[in-house]
Amino acid sequence: AQKITQTQPGMFVQEKEAVTLDCTYDTSDPSYGLFWYKQPSSGEMIFLIYQGSYDQQNATEGRYSLNFQKARKSANLVISASQLGDSAMYFCAMRELIRPGANSKLTFGKGITLSVRP
Amino acid sequence: GAGVSQSPSNKVTEKGKDVELRCDPISGHTALYWYRQRLGQGLEFLIYFQGNSAPDKSGLPSDRFSAERTGESVSTLTIQRTQQEDSAVYLCASSSRQSSYNSPLHFGNGTRLTVT
């Protein structure tokens, strides 16, 4: 089974509106972290927001918030007040604890392309 | 520098040649990762380094791929006898705590490799 699933096709949103990018994950580890990265056309990977498996509240960072539904294993990214500069590829990723000292690599989904229309 | 530095930013090579890609992680970061990203795809894990521990090479696609790291600093990814299928962006990332699931990875800008 895929660890991270992002199935939405290219997404479009009108400038200044909110948009939700979906992400579901699969793990049996009780300790894990969920991350969202933005990759604009320049190619850099920009870390946006983090949600820990034990966090009681949804994470927020400026215009970004994470709708974390642990029982459903979903971690959707919400971008409020979209801007033209938000047009990019967005990746959901997970990092599991596994065990202390072990490699805890980031496993990525396939990404979602977001286009913001003026 | 303040971020992860990769060189070269672009590399064009002929099929069959060897290439070497370099990564300089953030100072003080003990964990270093290499990922590959094919056009329009997600990131594919290649290899992981942590201190003096044996690297995790489980993501390397073939024995033509190898990587080294000098202590907790520079790493080089070597691809021997390059094939056209190796064309991709190779991304390096570092992290301050190797097994901490709440630490993000910080990425360099990548090396775009084109094999002709």
Side-chain angles (χ1 to χ4, degrees):
Chain A
Q2 288 186 5
K3 292 270 188 181
I4 298 288
T5 302
Q6 297 180 265
T7 58
Q8 290 168 304
M11 294 285 290
F12 294 87
V13 65
Q14 205 67 30
E15 194 178 8
K16 300 181 184 177
E17 292 186 350
V19 63
T20 298
L21 306 182
D22 296 343
C23 172
T24 58
Y25 60 93
D26 182 32
T27 181
S28 56
D29 194 327
S31 304
Y32 55 90
L34 297 157
F35 302 81
W36 277 90
Y37 282 82
K38 171 184 178 182
Q39 187 177 45
S41 57
S42 57
E44 60 194 301
M45 291 289 287
I46 303 168
F47 165 63
L48 295 178
I49 193 167
Y50 159 81
Q51 179 83 46
S53 59
Y54 297 111
D55 292 345
Q56 296 296 312
Q57 293 188 326
N58 287 338
T60 60
E61 285 288 346
R63 294 187 298 111
Y64 304 108
S65 60
L66 207 152
N67 183 0
F68 181 46
Q69 299 187 42
K70 192 170 182 177
R72 296 179 60 184
K73 293 188 175 178
S74 74
N76 299 340
L77 177 70
V78 180
I79 305 175
S80 63
S82 297
Q83 301 173 356
L84 295 178
D86 294 335
S87 294
M89 193 87 164
Y90 288 81
F91 290 97
C92 179
M94 178 172 65
R95 203 173 183 189
E96 297 161 288
L97 177 60
I98 304 176
R99 64 183 184 278
N103 173 16
S104 180
K105 64 180 182 286
L106 212 51
T107 301
F108 286 84
K110 294 186 183 301
I112 302 169
T113 301
L114 175 67
S115 299
V116 181
R117 291 171 168 154
Chain B
V4 177
S5 178
Q6 290 188 248
S7 61
S9 55
N10 281 284
K11 176 73 176 177
V12 180
T13 190
E14 291 180 354
K15 178 181 173 182
K17 301 278 190 181
D18 297 352
V19 295
E20 199 171 270
L21 313 180
R22 177 189 167 104
C23 172
D24 203 341
I26 294 172
S27 178
H29 278 194
T30 56
L32 187 146
Y33 301 78
W34 283 97
Y35 283 82
R36 177 171 71 178
Q37 186 179 26
R38 290 198 166 109
L39 188 63
Q41 302 296 312
L43 276 70
E44 174 189 6
F45 167 75
L46 296 178
I47 189 169
Y48 157 79
F49 293 93
Q50 171 58 44
N52 294 322
S53 302
D56 180 345
K57 305 178 182 180
S58 61
L60 294 179
S62 77
D63 58 8
R64 296 187 295 105
F65 288 73
S66 63
E68 293 183 350
R69 187 180 186 193
T70 307
E72 292 187 350
S73 60
V74 172
S75 174
T76 55
L77 176 69
T78 301
I79 309 173
Q80 295 178 311
R81 305 181 303 281
T82 52
Q83 304 293 314
Q84 288 184 330
E85 67 208 40
D86 299 334
S87 295
V89 176
Y90 291 82
L91 290 157
C92 177
S94 68
S95 177
S96 58
R97 295 157 67 185
Q98 85 282 8
S99 61
S100 175
Y101 59 87
N102 59 4
S103 294
L105 270 58
H106 299 272
F107 285 85
N109 288 336
T111 294
R112 183 176 299 278
L113 176 66
T114 304
V115 182
T116 61

